[in-house]
Amino acid sequence: MDGGQPFPSPLLPLGNASADSSMSLEQKTTFVFVVLLFIFLGILIVRCFRILLDPYRSMPTSTWADGLEGLEKGQFDHALA
C-alpha cells in the first residue's frame, strides 16, 4: 500500500464536512413529506386490520329504509312522480 493512508469513503464528503453535512431545504421538505406518508400508511394499515378483525363493528346499524317517512317499503313507483 502507499503508507497506510485509508481509501476515501464515498459516503463521507471530502473537504469541509461541516458545510456539506446539513440538508438542503428541498431535502428537508422531501424527508418531512416521506415521514408524513409513512404515518398515513401506518394509520391505514391499523384501520384495515381493525376492519378485518371486526367487520360488523364499522357497519351502521340503520338500514336504507329507515329514512322513509310515510312510505311503505317497496312502494317506490308512487314516490317517483
XYZ file of all heavy atoms in Angstrom:
625
model
N 0.834 -1.178 0.000
C 0.000 0.000 0.000
C 0.877 1.239 0.000
O 2.089 1.164 0.052
C -0.929 0.004 1.207
C -1.891 -1.186 1.301
S -2.974 -1.361 -0.075
C -4.423 -0.583 0.348
N 0.301 2.400 0.040
C 1.065 3.637 -0.097
C 1.272 4.342 1.235
O 1.151 5.543 1.331
C 0.380 4.564 -1.098
C -1.034 4.912 -0.674
O -1.682 4.098 0.023
O -1.501 5.987 -1.029
N 1.552 3.641 2.263
C 1.921 4.274 3.517
C 0.792 4.343 4.530
O 0.841 5.180 5.417
N -0.194 3.532 4.407
C -1.228 3.465 5.435
C -2.310 4.515 5.304
O -3.063 4.733 6.240
N -2.378 5.205 4.183
C -3.445 6.198 4.010
C -4.724 5.465 3.609
O -4.713 4.694 2.663
C -3.057 7.195 2.938
C -3.991 8.377 2.918
C -3.278 9.619 2.434
O -2.257 9.515 1.792
N -3.817 10.768 2.761
N -5.833 5.689 4.345
C -7.064 4.960 4.046
C -7.695 5.457 2.746
O -7.474 6.580 2.308
C -7.967 5.267 5.241
C -7.482 6.577 5.756
C -5.996 6.590 5.489
N -8.468 4.567 2.154
C -9.194 4.944 0.940
C -10.329 5.894 1.311
O -10.984 5.714 2.341
C -9.769 3.692 0.260
C -8.722 2.803 -0.333
C -8.326 1.652 0.331
C -8.134 3.121 -1.547
C -7.358 0.830 -0.205
C -7.173 2.297 -2.085
C -6.775 1.151 -1.411
N -10.598 6.881 0.492
C -11.699 7.790 0.807
C -13.049 7.077 0.643
O -13.276 6.366 -0.318
C -11.560 8.933 -0.203
C -10.759 8.354 -1.320
C -9.881 7.291 -0.709
N -13.888 7.251 1.616
C -15.207 6.621 1.583
C -16.152 7.442 0.712
O -16.172 8.665 0.807
C -15.765 6.528 3.002
O -17.090 6.072 2.959
N -16.936 6.791 -0.151
C -17.877 7.558 -0.976
C -19.036 8.135 -0.159
O -19.732 9.024 -0.618
C -18.382 6.538 -1.997
C -18.141 5.219 -1.372
C -16.940 5.379 -0.491
N -19.230 7.627 1.062
C -20.321 8.127 1.884
C -19.927 9.381 2.663
O -20.803 10.135 3.080
C -20.789 7.046 2.856
C -21.349 5.772 2.214
C -21.696 4.748 3.282
C -22.575 6.093 1.383
N -18.655 9.589 2.877
C -18.201 10.759 3.613
C -17.767 11.842 2.638
O -17.001 11.580 1.711
C -17.027 10.398 4.528
C -17.334 9.399 5.643
C -16.070 9.043 6.394
C -18.361 9.985 6.597
N -18.232 13.078 2.822
C -17.824 14.143 1.909
C -16.377 14.544 2.151
O -15.890 14.501 3.282
C -18.786 15.288 2.235
C -19.224 15.028 3.635
C -19.194 13.531 3.806
N -15.704 14.898 1.106
C -14.324 15.356 1.199
C -14.319 16.859 1.420
O -15.225 17.579 0.997
C -13.558 15.013 -0.081
C -13.415 13.525 -0.389
C -12.739 13.325 -1.724
C -12.634 12.833 0.708
N -13.275 17.354 2.057
C -13.163 18.796 2.248
C -13.879 19.239 3.507
O -13.741 18.644 4.564
N -14.638 20.321 3.397
C -15.312 20.914 4.536
C -16.566 20.102 4.869
O -17.591 20.248 4.228
C -15.674 22.375 4.220
C -16.136 23.117 5.448
O -16.206 22.552 6.536
N -16.447 24.390 5.279
N -16.489 19.253 5.871
C -17.596 18.349 6.206
C -18.721 19.075 6.924
O -19.869 18.660 6.845
C -17.086 17.199 7.066
N -18.426 20.165 7.637
C -19.479 20.831 8.401
C -20.450 21.569 7.484
O -21.638 21.641 7.766
C -18.865 21.801 9.416
O -18.167 22.821 8.718
N -20.008 22.117 6.381
C -20.906 22.839 5.476
C -21.715 21.877 4.602
O -22.837 22.180 4.235
C -20.095 23.780 4.590
N -21.166 20.713 4.284
C -21.855 19.770 3.414
C -22.782 18.815 4.178
O -23.577 18.136 3.558
C -20.833 18.936 2.621
C -20.049 19.788 1.647
O -20.564 20.849 1.241
O -18.928 19.388 1.299
N -22.664 18.759 5.497
C -23.435 17.775 6.244
C -24.888 18.205 6.446
O -25.735 17.371 6.718
C -22.780 17.502 7.593
O -22.826 18.683 8.379
N -25.200 19.488 6.325
C -26.582 19.915 6.514
C -27.394 19.640 5.258
O -26.890 19.695 4.145
C -26.633 21.406 6.857
O -26.176 22.161 5.759
N -28.668 19.351 5.453
C -29.543 19.046 4.323
C -30.089 20.340 3.740
O -30.315 21.311 4.453
C -30.692 18.148 4.775
C -30.251 16.802 5.246
S -31.528 15.571 5.612
C -32.991 16.435 5.911
N -30.325 20.323 2.440
C -30.903 21.493 1.794
C -32.394 21.573 2.115
O -32.985 20.644 2.666
C -30.685 21.426 0.284
O -31.466 20.393 -0.272
N -33.013 22.685 1.761
C -34.439 22.863 2.029
C -35.270 21.842 1.266
O -36.256 21.317 1.785
C -34.853 24.288 1.646
C -36.317 24.640 1.881
C -36.649 24.564 3.363
C -36.614 26.015 1.343
N -34.864 21.534 0.047
C -35.590 20.534 -0.743
C -35.497 19.153 -0.111
O -36.487 18.413 -0.061
C -35.019 20.507 -2.158
C -35.757 19.572 -3.088
C -35.190 19.620 -4.500
O -34.609 20.631 -4.882
O -35.334 18.606 -5.198
N -34.333 18.800 0.417
C -34.170 17.505 1.071
C -34.970 17.437 2.366
O -35.578 16.405 2.664
C -32.699 17.246 1.355
C -31.887 16.948 0.116
C -30.406 16.853 0.424
O -29.913 17.490 1.356
N -29.703 16.052 -0.354
N -35.006 18.535 3.119
C -35.790 18.555 4.350
C -37.275 18.417 4.048
O -37.997 17.686 4.724
C -35.538 19.850 5.112
C -34.170 19.927 5.739
C -33.984 21.243 6.441
C -32.581 21.379 6.982
N -32.357 22.683 7.608
N -37.747 19.116 3.012
C -39.154 19.039 2.631
C -39.511 17.632 2.185
O -40.558 17.090 2.560
C -39.445 20.048 1.507
O -39.030 21.343 1.928
C -40.908 20.077 1.168
N -38.644 17.020 1.403
C -38.890 15.652 0.944
C -38.906 14.680 2.112
O -39.756 13.782 2.173
C -37.810 15.245 -0.076
O -37.780 16.202 -1.129
C -38.069 13.871 -0.634
N -37.986 14.868 3.045
C -37.914 13.994 4.217
C -39.191 14.105 5.053
O -39.760 13.086 5.479
C -36.680 14.347 5.052
C -36.481 13.468 6.245
C -36.040 12.165 6.094
C -36.743 13.944 7.515
C -35.859 11.348 7.189
C -36.571 13.131 8.617
C -36.131 11.838 8.450
N -39.677 15.311 5.287
C -40.901 15.512 6.058
C -42.095 14.900 5.324
O -42.958 14.260 5.938
C -41.124 17.018 6.338
C -42.516 17.283 6.880
C -40.081 17.530 7.306
N -42.148 15.075 3.999
C -43.235 14.503 3.213
C -43.244 12.979 3.289
O -44.293 12.357 3.446
C -43.116 14.968 1.760
C -44.230 14.504 0.883
C -45.513 14.994 1.031
C -43.995 13.560 -0.107
C -46.546 14.565 0.222
C -45.013 13.112 -0.926
C -46.293 13.620 -0.759
N -42.078 12.368 3.207
C -41.986 10.904 3.286
C -42.381 10.416 4.679
O -43.081 9.408 4.812
C -40.563 10.443 2.896
C -40.329 8.976 3.237
C -40.319 10.684 1.423
N -41.984 11.136 5.717
C -42.368 10.752 7.080
C -43.886 10.842 7.242
O -44.510 9.944 7.823
C -41.638 11.634 8.116
C -42.239 11.482 9.501
C -40.165 11.289 8.150
N -44.502 11.894 6.701
C -45.955 12.016 6.775
C -46.650 10.900 6.000
O -47.688 10.393 6.436
C -46.397 13.380 6.251
C -46.069 14.569 7.153
C -46.464 15.870 6.485
C -46.741 14.436 8.495
N -46.089 10.508 4.864
C -46.662 9.394 4.110
C -46.584 8.084 4.892
O -47.519 7.281 4.857
C -45.950 9.244 2.762
C -46.372 10.207 1.666
C -45.544 9.969 0.406
C -47.837 10.056 1.341
N -45.469 7.867 5.596
C -45.345 6.648 6.393
C -46.322 6.659 7.565
O -46.891 5.616 7.924
C -43.913 6.466 6.905
C -43.029 5.755 5.926
C -41.960 6.411 5.337
C -43.264 4.441 5.585
C -41.151 5.763 4.420
C -42.456 3.774 4.679
C -41.393 4.441 4.100
N -46.558 7.830 8.176
C -47.540 7.919 9.255
C -48.931 7.612 8.714
O -49.706 6.863 9.321
C -47.473 9.307 9.918
C -46.160 9.450 10.687
C -48.660 9.539 10.842
C -45.903 10.839 11.212
N -49.266 8.186 7.552
C -50.558 7.932 6.925
C -50.712 6.455 6.571
O -51.771 5.859 6.785
C -50.692 8.811 5.682
C -52.015 8.695 4.993
C -53.174 9.143 5.591
C -52.085 8.134 3.730
C -54.398 9.033 4.949
C -53.300 8.026 3.077
C -54.461 8.470 3.690
N -49.642 5.840 6.060
C -49.677 4.416 5.739
C -49.893 3.577 6.993
O -50.663 2.610 6.979
C -48.372 4.013 5.040
C -48.231 2.549 4.659
C -49.232 2.188 3.567
C -46.817 2.268 4.196
N -49.255 3.939 8.081
C -49.437 3.211 9.333
C -50.863 3.300 9.845
O -51.427 2.311 10.311
N -51.459 4.505 9.730
C -52.847 4.667 10.157
C -53.776 3.807 9.300
O -54.695 3.157 9.808
C -53.240 6.156 10.108
C -52.497 6.929 11.194
C -54.742 6.339 10.269
C -52.635 8.427 11.084
N -53.535 3.787 7.995
C -54.373 2.973 7.112
C -54.215 1.481 7.390
O -55.206 0.733 7.354
C -54.031 3.260 5.649
C -54.529 4.585 5.096
C -54.111 4.742 3.642
C -56.035 4.687 5.211
N -53.013 1.037 7.678
C -52.785 -0.380 7.979
C -53.507 -0.772 9.258
O -54.169 -1.816 9.324
C -51.272 -0.681 8.058
C -50.660 -0.623 6.659
C -51.011 -2.031 8.715
C -49.155 -0.737 6.650
N -53.416 0.079 10.282
C -54.107 -0.213 11.544
C -55.610 -0.247 11.323
O -56.310 -1.136 11.827
C -53.722 0.833 12.612
C -54.635 0.741 13.831
C -52.279 0.652 13.030
N -56.139 0.696 10.538
C -57.581 0.729 10.289
C -58.035 -0.514 9.514
O -59.086 -1.091 9.820
C -57.924 1.992 9.509
C -59.385 2.156 9.308
C -59.715 3.529 8.803
N -61.150 3.658 8.672
C -61.768 4.101 7.602
N -61.074 4.494 6.581
N -63.063 4.187 7.559
N -57.254 -0.915 8.523
C -57.620 -2.108 7.748
C -57.604 -3.360 8.621
O -58.486 -4.212 8.504
C -56.674 -2.278 6.561
S -56.960 -1.069 5.255
N -56.613 -3.501 9.497
C -56.583 -4.667 10.374
C -57.746 -4.655 11.354
O -58.313 -5.699 11.668
C -55.258 -4.748 11.137
C -54.190 -5.468 10.366
C -53.100 -4.797 9.855
C -54.294 -6.828 10.138
C -52.132 -5.457 9.134
C -53.327 -7.510 9.419
C -52.247 -6.818 8.924
N -58.150 -3.462 11.822
C -59.306 -3.398 12.722
C -60.581 -3.799 11.994
O -61.442 -4.462 12.570
C -59.441 -1.991 13.291
C -58.357 -1.675 14.318
C -58.467 -0.290 14.844
N -59.689 -0.129 15.624
C -60.146 1.032 16.052
N -59.505 2.141 15.760
N -61.251 1.093 16.755
N -60.716 -3.403 10.736
C -61.890 -3.800 9.953
C -61.866 -5.296 9.675
O -62.900 -5.970 9.731
C -61.968 -2.980 8.650
C -62.319 -1.532 8.977
C -62.986 -3.563 7.690
C -62.263 -0.606 7.792
N -60.694 -5.849 9.392
C -60.597 -7.284 9.147
C -60.914 -8.099 10.394
O -61.526 -9.169 10.304
C -59.196 -7.642 8.645
C -58.891 -7.283 7.194
C -57.432 -7.587 6.885
C -59.786 -8.055 6.258
N -60.522 -7.605 11.561
C -60.768 -8.355 12.786
C -62.224 -8.267 13.226
O -62.752 -9.228 13.790
C -59.851 -7.847 13.899
C -58.369 -8.150 13.703
C -57.554 -7.506 14.813
C -58.112 -9.640 13.655
N -62.883 -7.136 12.979
C -64.273 -6.971 13.391
C -65.019 -6.187 12.309
O -65.223 -4.977 12.430
C -64.337 -6.232 14.726
C -65.723 -6.254 15.324
O -66.573 -7.018 14.822
O -65.957 -5.511 16.287
N -65.423 -6.858 11.225
C -66.006 -6.128 10.095
C -67.391 -5.555 10.373
O -67.785 -4.568 9.781
C -66.067 -7.165 8.977
C -66.072 -8.467 9.669
C -65.298 -8.276 10.933
N -68.143 -6.132 11.276
C -69.506 -5.677 11.510
C -69.574 -4.481 12.458
O -70.597 -3.836 12.565
C -70.362 -6.821 12.054
C -70.465 -7.941 11.059
C -69.821 -9.147 11.267
C -71.181 -7.773 9.881
C -69.895 -10.167 10.338
C -71.263 -8.776 8.947
C -70.622 -9.969 9.181
O -70.691 -10.969 8.256
N -68.481 -4.172 13.131
C -68.466 -3.034 14.037
C -68.520 -1.715 13.262
O -69.118 -0.747 13.711
C -67.198 -3.062 14.895
C -67.124 -1.941 15.914
C -65.853 -2.026 16.726
N -64.672 -2.101 15.893
C -64.005 -1.023 15.434
N -64.436 0.167 15.731
N -62.935 -1.166 14.703
N -67.930 -1.684 12.078
C -67.871 -0.452 11.309
C -69.125 -0.211 10.476
O -69.286 0.860 9.913
C -66.654 -0.468 10.388
O -66.753 -1.538 9.473
N -70.017 -1.200 10.404
C -71.244 -1.020 9.632
C -72.273 -0.255 10.441
O -72.388 -0.465 11.653
C -71.831 -2.382 9.241
C -71.089 -3.095 8.184
S -71.975 -4.590 7.767
C -71.063 -5.114 6.352
N -73.035 0.615 9.796
C -74.101 1.317 10.528
C -75.239 0.360 10.865
O -75.495 -0.610 10.147
C -74.557 2.399 9.551
C -74.153 1.896 8.205
C -72.915 1.065 8.421
N -75.922 0.646 11.955
C -76.993 -0.249 12.382
C -78.302 0.051 11.673
O -79.185 -0.781 11.625
C -77.215 -0.138 13.897
O -77.463 1.230 14.215
C -75.998 -0.626 14.651
N -78.451 1.243 11.113
C -79.685 1.573 10.411
C -79.636 1.015 8.992
O -78.568 0.762 8.439
C -79.879 3.080 10.358
O -78.842 3.670 9.622
N -80.804 0.839 8.403
C -80.883 0.339 7.040
C -81.282 1.467 6.109
O -81.615 2.564 6.542
C -81.904 -0.804 6.931
O -83.182 -0.293 7.274
C -81.526 -1.958 7.849
N -81.297 1.202 4.820
C -81.622 2.231 3.831
C -83.090 2.622 3.891
O -83.483 3.690 3.471
C -81.275 1.738 2.432
C -81.981 0.458 2.064
C -81.529 -0.807 2.273
C -83.259 0.335 1.449
N -82.444 -1.720 1.834
C -83.513 -1.059 1.309
C -84.212 1.241 0.982
C -84.673 -1.533 0.738
C -85.367 0.750 0.414
C -85.590 -0.620 0.293
N -83.930 1.780 4.456
C -85.363 2.057 4.500
C -85.781 2.810 5.759
O -86.939 3.174 5.890
C -86.138 0.758 4.395
N -84.853 3.042 6.695
C -85.220 3.735 7.925
C -85.583 5.198 7.673
O -86.346 5.785 8.424
C -84.098 3.662 8.948
C -83.975 2.281 9.553
O -84.927 1.499 9.413
O -82.931 1.997 10.166
N -85.039 5.802 6.636
C -85.290 7.203 6.371
C -86.591 7.477 5.649
O -86.955 8.629 5.444
N -87.323 6.452 5.259
C -88.582 6.643 4.542
C -89.684 6.974 5.531
O -90.012 6.174 6.406
C -88.943 5.384 3.745
C -87.966 4.975 2.657
C -88.431 3.672 2.010
C -87.857 6.054 1.608
N -90.243 8.155 5.384
C -91.335 8.548 6.267
C -92.607 8.633 5.444
O -92.682 9.347 4.464
C -91.032 9.893 6.911
C -89.835 9.842 7.830
C -89.501 11.207 8.399
O -90.303 12.130 8.207
O -88.454 11.323 9.018
N -93.632 7.927 5.832
C -94.902 7.952 5.131
C -94.968 6.997 3.956
O -95.994 6.864 3.317
N -93.891 6.359 3.623
C -93.880 5.396 2.519
C -93.646 4.009 3.086
O -92.866 3.823 4.019
C -92.764 5.714 1.522
C -92.905 6.990 0.694
C -91.663 7.158 -0.168
C -94.126 6.906 -0.204
N -94.314 3.076 2.540
C -94.075 1.691 2.930
C -92.875 1.174 2.151
O -92.567 1.651 1.060
C -95.310 0.830 2.626
C -96.520 1.197 3.435
C -96.320 0.935 4.922
O -95.647 -0.062 5.261
O -96.825 1.731 5.723
N -92.215 0.203 2.678
C -91.059 -0.373 1.993
C -91.516 -1.062 0.717
O -92.449 -1.842 0.738
C -90.354 -1.375 2.905
C -89.741 -0.741 4.117
C -89.074 -1.774 4.991
C -88.545 -1.144 6.255
N -87.971 -2.118 7.168
N -90.865 -0.743 -0.391
C -91.172 -1.372 -1.657
C -92.164 -0.609 -2.503
O -92.458 -1.018 -3.614
N -92.699 0.510 -2.052
C -93.656 1.282 -2.835
C -92.987 2.544 -3.379
O -93.293 3.661 -2.981
C -94.866 1.666 -1.984
C -95.698 0.488 -1.566
C -96.904 0.916 -0.750
O -96.988 2.058 -0.332
N -97.810 -0.010 -0.532
N -92.049 2.356 -4.298
C -91.314 3.494 -4.848
C -91.952 4.052 -6.116
O -91.639 5.155 -6.516
C -89.879 3.080 -5.164
C -89.074 2.804 -3.939
C -88.697 1.510 -3.627
C -88.698 3.828 -3.097
C -87.949 1.257 -2.494
C -87.959 3.567 -1.963
C -87.590 2.288 -1.666
N -92.826 3.294 -6.759
C -93.387 3.771 -8.025
C -94.287 5.000 -7.812
O -94.395 5.855 -8.664
C -94.157 2.653 -8.730
C -95.162 1.983 -7.814
O -95.110 2.237 -6.588
O -95.981 1.193 -8.320
N -94.896 5.137 -6.649
C -95.717 6.314 -6.366
C -94.860 7.516 -5.966
O -95.263 8.650 -6.165
C -96.715 6.020 -5.243
C -97.603 4.864 -5.544
N -98.521 4.896 -6.565
C -97.718 3.628 -4.976
C -99.169 3.737 -6.623
N -98.695 2.949 -5.654
N -93.691 7.268 -5.440
C -92.845 8.366 -4.970
C -92.022 8.973 -6.089
O -91.476 10.060 -5.933
C -91.916 7.867 -3.868
N -91.904 8.300 -7.228
C -91.076 8.805 -8.311
C -91.746 9.939 -9.093
O -91.085 10.698 -9.746
C -90.711 7.676 -9.270
C -89.764 6.618 -8.695
C -89.550 5.506 -9.719
C -88.442 7.221 -8.284
N -93.054 10.047 -9.024
C -93.785 11.038 -9.814
C -93.648 12.439 -9.300
O -93.107 12.939 -8.523
C -95.263 10.707 -9.865
